Amino acid sequence: MVYILSVSIVVVFIVLALLVVIFQRKQKRSVVFTEENYDLKATTITDIDKMEDGSGFEMYLYRLLMELGYTGVYKTVGSRDFGADVVFTDREGVRNVVQAKRYHVGNPVGISAVQEVFSCMRYYKAKRAIVIATAKFTEPCETLAGINHVKLLDRTDLINVIEAFRSGETVAARDIIEGEPRMVLQSWSEANSGVLHEVRKDYKAEKYMKKVMGK
């Protein structure tokens, strides 16, 4: 009886020890992605890919922009952010709104990202809008961004920013972030000219309306 009791106690202790080890390993795996504890300069794109959700990526960008020496940096509230995840003031004293998109590398970011970040500029009194993503952008997204002067930083750009920061080249990192966006139109005057460009029509809808109106 004493022998059985002793064995039972040993088994219980072994089970408890295993549970402690498993818990500690989980803690070590997740500590990289907590808001306070991970080493920013040791963080790579691979670490960002392992984050559980987009909030970790938003916090990473928030910390990165602060470490790069920007002023007026703050993270917006998770809900009702109106399309901006982080706000900062660049070297020219211009306020920027940033939307962070942590997508799978094979899942390109669509036009909604541009629509959201561009539409929130007036709310935050910003003059520039940026979408920073861990993936590529779709062609329609790039077109809409180019027309609306929204800066797109895709996975390659993000990697370049991260590597520049990790190497201590903060100016190079800021140059990438603040670089001029690709413009689809040559100038805003072209957009506001009296010449209206052809718009892609829904000919089925047009045919239907002609039928309804008897024309």
Side-chain angles (χ1 to χ4, degrees), residues 76-143:
T76 62
V77 179
S79 60
R80 296 190 65 187
D81 59 20
F82 297 99
D85 298 312
V86 184
V87 178
F88 74 96
T89 301
D90 63 27
R91 289 173 290 182
E92 296 179 359
V94 176
R95 173 174 282 186
N96 291 246
V97 285
V98 178
Q99 182 166 115
K101 290 295 184 184
R102 196 193 68 81
Y103 279 28
H104 185 273
V105 64
N107 183 21
V109 179
I111 62 173
S112 62
V114 173
Q115 293 169 333
E116 291 168 10
V117 76
F118 181 76
S119 64
C120 78
M121 287 174 65
R122 291 184 67 180
Y123 176 82
Y124 289 102
K125 296 181 174 60
K127 293 183 179 179
R128 291 177 183 167
I130 307 173
V131 181
I132 303 178
T134 56
K136 297 292 185 181
F137 296 97
T138 63
E139 185 177 342
C141 180
E142 291 183 350
T143 299

Side-chain angles (χ1 to χ4, degrees), residues 171-191:
V171 174
R174 289 185 292 190
D175 286 343
I176 297 171
I177 293 170
E178 298 177 41
E180 283 295 310
R182 182 179 71 89
M183 289 289 290
V184 171
L185 300 175
Q186 292 299 315
S187 66
W188 286 109
S189 60
E190 181 182 341

Side-chain angles (χ1 to χ4, degrees), residues 145-156:
I147 291 173
N148 289 287
H149 210 225
V150 173
K151 173 79 173 181
L152 298 181
L153 294 174
D154 64 12
R155 185 179 183 87
T156 301

Side-chain angles (χ1 to χ4, degrees), residues 202-215:
D202 185 339
Y203 288 104
K204 289 184 179 179
E206 195 172 82
K207 184 177 180 181
Y208 169 76
M209 285 305 299
K210 287 181 178 179
K211 181 179 179 181
V212 170
M213 297 175 71
K215 294 183 179 180

Side-chain angles (χ1 to χ4, degrees), residues 32-60:
V32 176
F33 311 127
T34 59
E35 296 179 2
E36 301 88 3
N37 298 328
Y38 64 85
D39 182 355
L40 201 67
K41 286 216 167 183
T43 304
T44 65
I45 191 68
T46 303
D47 297 317
I48 292 173
D49 288 338
K50 294 177 182 178
M51 291 178 177
E52 293 183 1
D53 53 38
S55 62
F57 183 43
E58 293 169 16
M59 181 60 67
Y60 170 82

